[in-house]
Amino acid sequence: MSQRRADDSEPTTPLKTTKVAGPLGIIAGRGSLPAFIADAASADGVPVHIIGIQGEAEPDIERFPHTWIKWGEVGRVFSALEKNGCNDLVIIGGVSRPSLKNVRIDVGALKTLPFLLSLRKGGDDHILSRIVRFFEQKGYRVHGAGDVLPELLVPEGPLTRRTPSAEDEADMALAFKVVRTLGTLDIGQAAVVSNGYVLAVEAAEGTDAMLERCAEIKRRGRSHGMGRGVLVKAPKPGQEERVDMPTIGPETMVKAAEAGLAGVAVAAQHVLIAEYNRTIKIANERKLFLYGVPWSGPDA
Amino acid sequence: MSQRRADDSEPTTPLKTTKVAGPLGIIAGRGSLPAFIADAASADGVPVHIIGIQGEAEPDIERFPHTWIKWGEVGRVFSALEKNGCNDLVIIGGVSRPSLKNVRIDVGALKTLPFLLSLRKGGDDHILSRIVRFFEQKGYRVHGAGDVLPELLVPEGPLTRRTPSAEDEADMALAFKVVRTLGTLDIGQAAVVSNGYVLAVEAAEGTDAMLERCAEIKRRGRSHGMGRGVLVKAPKPGQEERVDMPTIGPETMVKAAEAGLAGVAVAAQHVLIAEYNRTIKIANERKLFLYGVPWSGPDA
């Protein structure tokens, strides 16, 4: 951990330039990661252009050359990428499934309508894989955030002062089993287990909402009285990790603490951590553990 | 359906007296089913004694001979059963996992302390099976609610005017697959699928809370814009159906409608329906389907 940057706003790890040769296009959803990657790229002399999805991306992306788009403005995405010479792409940050009223179909979208309509059905993974393939078919190179900036990946071992107890480890083992099983059905990436009892399973609601539910379940006395519990996150089998890697951050720790959990365990090297220093600080303050479990794939 | 009673408050189907010979003890949790079964037994000339769990059972049980108990008053349960000559038992109605402050340990509980402590760990099914075995070891016969009163079981086929569309049937098939898979991990008994996308999976929060979440997910636009979705409920593999059968009722239909679902599909003969007439009436008013799917066991 000694090589970690002291301040989240100043990345010290350069972009893997073996990966990204020319200008980097960043298609930005929610959260701090798009701007963080743009900072790292800029520090490394790699020009960036951020394409922010309206209603999702943070205003902070406006620190960089950028284009705002609405859902469905496919033509606008390609013209922005082309104009800025971006052949390398990172697609990063959570997005909500758009409701139809927020979708604006431009000419570029009309051309790709059969593709867009094909996205209306199926699980997340199915859709995201097709989006990546769509860009690749147009000649773009799509990189995972962790590929271009490895410090975004949760490393193996403990990241906090606290470490899992024997009981926590038993809960972790069951939770990983649950997440692996769910993954085969393209459901969620997370579960909470307390004292051998599965408190909650994530589907479309997202991790934060699931943790809020755990807090409520505990308040209502619907869990075992004794256990604290752990949150586990891991990728789904066959998950398109370049665009849909499970992510944790400060909010994950705040909500895990509010749910009375003992800690958080994730698949090492397969989960992104946003705002590393702040996330670890909160975990330590709230006496949570954060642990990267060696992960040899979802079927191991 | 023509043989169904016209009014939920007056059961017409007699208790299966081949099953229950003498006085029937009913250990009552939440909901209307305990009193409903007591009404059926009384109509059939079978004496009853209801043991109501405080904070769970409805005040309505006081229409019958009854004893209120707190969690942990094991001795009081056995003395009430013995005093009233009840060798046949039905354990019915939802219960919350008690928090320790609500548990009162009586002398009978002290005698069975190793057993009680063994209940602190593990999933629902594990615990409920052990409770049944505990009563059986003491010489009691534990019956399922559907065994003594078959009209409580959801029959095969459509129960409502609406029936599932082809799209609903595809969602039902995926939701049954999800529930089967979850069941192997002793998690929940229900899932919601909309347009091929798993919206929600039930764990400790219960079906009503899961449906509320689906309504919220749809409001926030985190589902596919087009789909309506179905709720599916089915037992877990190896589930102790005598004490833990999945249950639907009027509230299920109200919340399914609020979540914008097209309908509800359950494992026929393996799911209980509380307040049959009112449940169907609400489903019809809200234009939902309710469908009993032939169920040959969770591994089929």
Side-chain angles (χ1 to χ4, degrees), chain A residues 15-24 44-47 85 87-88 141 143 148:
Chain A
L15 224 59
K16 278 205 170 175
T17 42
T18 48
K19 292 273 184 180
V20 181
L24 178 65
D44 202 40
V46 174
N87 290 312
D88 290 283
R141 298 194 300 167
H143 306 281
V148 297

Side-chain angles (χ1 to χ4, degrees), chain B residues 15 24 91 173 186 289:
Chain B
L15 225 58
L24 180 65
I91 304 173
D186 194 13
F289 68 79

Side-chain angles (χ1 to χ4, degrees), chain A residues 185-201:
Chain A
L185 297 164
D186 194 13
I187 306 172
Q189 310 168 319
V192 174
V193 172
S194 168
N195 216 359
Y197 181 59
V198 182
L199 272 194
V201 166

Side-chain angles (χ1 to χ4, degrees), chain A residues 30 95-100 119-124 127 167 170-171 174 177-179 181-182 184-187 195-206 209 213 217 220-226, chain B residues 30 95-100 119-124 127 167 170-171 174 177-179 181-182 184-187 195-206 209 213 217 220-226:
Chain A
R30 284 192 301 270
V95 293
S96 302
R97 284 162 179 257
S99 67
L100 278 187
L119 297 180
R120 289 182 312 155
K121 262 196 173 294
D124 281 335
I127 290 173
E167 188 167 70
D171 285 343
L174 175 55
K177 190 177 166 196
V178 168
V179 171
T181 306
L182 291 170
T184 63
L185 297 164
D186 194 13
I187 306 172
N195 216 359
Y197 181 59
V198 182
L199 272 194
V201 166
E202 179 184 334
E205 74 275 20
R213 177 160 89 246
I217 288 167
R220 279 162 44 211
R222 292 196 72 156
S223 64
H224 284 262
M226 312 291 283
Chain B
R30 285 192 300 269
V95 292
S96 301
R97 284 161 180 258
S99 67
L100 278 186
L119 296 181
R120 290 181 311 156
K121 262 196 173 292
D124 282 335
I127 290 174
E167 188 168 67
D171 284 344
L174 175 55
K177 189 178 167 197
V178 168
V179 171
T181 306
L182 291 171
T184 62
L185 297 164
D186 194 13
I187 307 173
N195 215 0
Y197 182 59
V198 182
L199 272 194
V201 166
E202 179 184 333
E205 73 276 19
R213 178 161 89 246
I217 288 167
R220 280 163 44 212
R222 293 196 71 155
S223 64
H224 284 261
M226 312 290 284

Side-chain angles (χ1 to χ4, degrees), chain A residues 1-19:
Chain A
M1 302 289 84
S2 58
Q3 295 186 333
R4 286 266 166 191
R5 62 197 175 276
D7 182 342
D8 275 321
S9 63
E10 291 172 30
T12 56
T13 312
L15 224 59
K16 278 205 170 175
T17 42
T18 48
K19 292 273 184 180

Side-chain angles (χ1 to χ4, degrees), chain A residues 118-157:
Chain A
S118 78
L119 297 180
R120 289 182 312 155
K121 262 196 173 294
D124 281 335
D125 201 45
H126 196 42
I127 290 173
L128 291 163
S129 303
R130 275 185 290 179
I131 289 175
V132 169
R133 214 158 51 235
F134 179 69
F135 278 106
E136 288 179 333
Q137 280 164 0
K138 305 242 169 220
Y140 291 93
R141 298 194 300 167
V142 181
H143 306 281
D147 292 333
V148 297
L149 203 56
E151 70 174 275
L152 290 176
L153 298 171
V154 174
E156 274 187 27

